[in-house]
Amino acid sequence: MEAALAACRAARGPVVVLTGAGVSAESGIPTFRGKEGYWTVGSREYHPQELATHAAFTRMPWDVWAWYLYRRGVCRRAEPNAAHRALAALDCDLITQNVDGLHRRAGSRRVYPIHGDIDHMRCADDCCLDIFAMPEDVADPKAQLRCPRCGGMARPHVLWFDESYDEPRFFLDTSRRLAAHAGLLVVAGTSAQTNLPWQVVTLALRAGATVIDVNIEDNPFGEIATHVVRAPAAEAIPAITNAIAGHVRSD
Ligand code: APR
């Protein structure tokens, strides 16, 4: 930990943070690939990973909606933890894979949710690119989960496994640009299994950035990061943000 904190103090240039499900684990939201994760515990009918596809939504839209409304409930009952709060206080550019909205609820302003946001919906027929806030309470999904523009069916604003990143909805170019100009990249709570996070880490390394990997376990990003911290995010992130904030930066 000490070497990573020293590196945070010494780093020059913009600070960028990339987070995954591990940062919300201590808020009670299951991770995806952990032993209680969404991907490894099959729902009563379907394997969760089958539900997170456009193909599944086309085949059984209301089953997919029921699953996202269930997950939304889990996220809304959760509270931001010390890691979310420390990152909000740091006020840096924050690229997150999490759809739970906890960074936003902790007060972070420059948040880029590259896999979407479970509190938002879009037109299932793409009549427009707009992203709409979901109704507070969804008592009648078939009546309420409609596109406010065309009245057609709405869909969850999340990136599904059979879909691609873009800029207007998933901050593809923004994430790449931030990574390519980073002086310090802090990666926390991710198993490094998805595409854009790999681009972010490799672009930052190519730009000569210091890259800190925070995780309770080894993972592929730990093998290429300049420093690794093996500790829970709610413990490590406040120490890291204090080291960053405590050092008068030149950027
Ligand atoms: N502190 C730090 N790291 C933790 C903690 C914790 N308290 N708890 C778990 N972790 C780590 C795990 O060791 C694991 O490496 O967080 C990681 C969580 O990995 P995943 O469950 O695979 O989640 P994530 O990497 O965010 O998944 C990425 O994949 O399934 C898609 O769209 C989904 O956004 C998700 C993406």
Side-chain angles (χ1 to χ4, degrees):
M1 171 69 100
E2 207 25 65
L5 297 180
C8 288
R9 294 186 198 101
R12 291 286 172 277
V15 176
V16 178
V17 174
L18 169 67
T19 64
V23 169
S24 294
E26 292 158 270
S27 293
I29 300 180
T31 63
F32 291 94
R33 294 173 183 84
K35 63 181 183 328
E36 297 307 322
Y38 280 102
W39 300 149
T40 54
V41 180
S43 70
R44 69 183 185 285
E45 279 95 17
Y46 316 99
H47 186 286
Q49 207 151 352
E50 293 167 86
L51 294 169
T53 62
H54 192 271
F57 186 79
T58 306
R59 230 182 20 255
M60 47 188 174
W62 297 115
D63 285 302
V64 171
W65 258 125
W67 189 58
Y68 278 98
L69 291 171
Y70 157 71
R71 287 182 59 195
R72 182 180 182 227
V74 171
C75 295
R76 291 168 77 88
R77 286 190 293 277
E79 290 300 327
N81 62 51
H84 298 105
R85 293 192 295 274
L87 291 169
L90 186 66
D91 193 24
C92 62
D93 287 305
L94 212 168
I95 300 166
T96 187
Q97 299 172 81
N98 302 344
V99 298
D100 56 37
L102 290 186
H103 286 303
R104 186 169 26 86
R105 282 169 51 197
S108 284
R109 295 176 310 125
R110 294 181 278 159
V111 184
Y112 307 99
I114 60 172
H115 291 162
D117 185 318
I118 207 154
D119 267 324
H120 289 74
M121 60 185 194
R122 307 195 322 257
C123 178
D125 302 320
D126 285 334
C127 80
C128 59
L129 273 177
D130 299 22
I131 296 165
F132 306 100
M134 285 181 56
E136 277 298 306
D137 299 307
V138 181
D140 182 355
K142 291 192 173 150
Q144 292 176 271
L145 301 176
R146 319 289 318 169
C147 170
R149 285 264 180 292
C150 71
M153 177 179 271
R155 56 158 286 169
H157 173 49
V158 292
L159 182 68
W160 284 326
F161 281 96
D162 52 357
E163 296 183 316
S164 305
Y165 297 100
D166 62 19
E167 173 59 22
R169 294 174 289 199
F170 302 110
F171 307 100
L172 174 62
D173 306 327
T174 299
S175 302
R176 288 169 168 166
R177 178 175 44 75
L178 289 170
H181 296 90
L184 171 62
L185 174 68
V186 178
V187 179
T190 182
S191 63
Q193 300 300 309
T194 52
N195 180 294
L196 183 49
W198 268 100
Q199 295 184 43
V200 166
V201 174
T202 46
L203 283 166
L205 285 168
R206 207 175 295 152
T210 297
V211 175
I212 316 269
D213 176 58
V214 177
N215 199 306
I216 55 173
E217 289 172 358
D218 287 337
N219 68 87
F221 285 151
E223 286 150 33
I224 58 173
T226 57
H227 300 77
V228 301
V229 174
R230 294 290 165 259
E235 179 192 311
I237 294 292
I240 286 173
T241 56
N242 285 342
I244 296 168
H247 185 72
V248 179
R249 307 188 57 75
S250 61
D251 57 289

